[in-house]
Amino acid sequence: QVQLVESGGGLVQAGGSLRLSCAASGRTFSRDTMAWFRQAPGKEREFVARIVSGDKTYYADSVKGRFTISRDNAKSTVYLYMSSLKPEDTAVYYCADSRLSIATFRQSHYDFWGQGTQVTISS
């Protein structure tokens, strides 16, 4: 059974930073695409960042230059380092796993999801 467990969320002032972690279990995910999505109150869930097999990374325009996704295959963990945080980054952040080695930003490409972790940025 595949499980993704996010951690690291919290309340931070604007301009601050946070690192989210997503611990995966139940499958070997080193060849998967791992991604982060987020859902703000009253909005649809949106793509934030993904890291494909081979470790190439992709970002939403809204977070490019501020967020960094990385992975540690030995620990079966993917990270999202977020800096220069803005109030509009407030959302529940979800980790997702696609069995495709090079998945896109489309949510339908992702097979497994975590339960989410709340990130709140105060102004």
Side-chain angles (χ1 to χ4, degrees):
Q1 181 180 357
V2 176
Q3 281 193 318
L4 302 175
V5 179
E6 301 100 333
S7 61
L11 172 64
V12 177
Q13 286 190 329
S17 60
L18 275 176
R19 189 182 77 162
L20 306 183
S21 300
C22 172
S25 62
R27 63 180 271 107
T28 300
F29 85 130
S30 59
R31 296 180 182 178
D32 293 358
T33 296
M34 301 298 294
W36 289 93
F37 291 80
R38 67 185 182 186
Q39 187 168 20
K43 296 187 177 181
E44 294 188 352
R45 190 162 57 186
E46 64 177 5
F47 166 75
V48 174
R50 71 186 190 273
I51 183 166
V52 302
S53 178
D55 292 349
K56 189 169 184 179
T57 57
Y58 302 84
Y59 298 93
D61 288 344
S62 59
V63 306
K64 203 171 291 184
R66 300 189 298 122
F67 290 13
T68 301
I69 187 171
S70 62
R71 68 200 296 168
D72 184 336
N73 290 333
K75 296 182 178 180
S76 296
T77 301
V78 62
Y79 303 98
L80 184 69
Y81 178 73
M82 308 183 293
S83 63
S84 301
L85 285 161
K86 305 174 182 179
E88 51 263 44
D89 294 319
T90 294
V92 177
Y93 283 70
Y94 296 91
C95 175
D97 176 10
S98 171
R99 289 174 289 187
L100 297 174
S101 59
I102 304 179
T104 72
F105 61 89
R106 299 186 189 281
Q107 296 183 46
S108 60
H109 284 184
Y110 293 83
D111 305 288
F112 309 104
W113 294 81
Q115 82 288 350
T117 186
Q118 177 70 46
V119 171
T120 303
I121 311 303
S122 63
S123 57

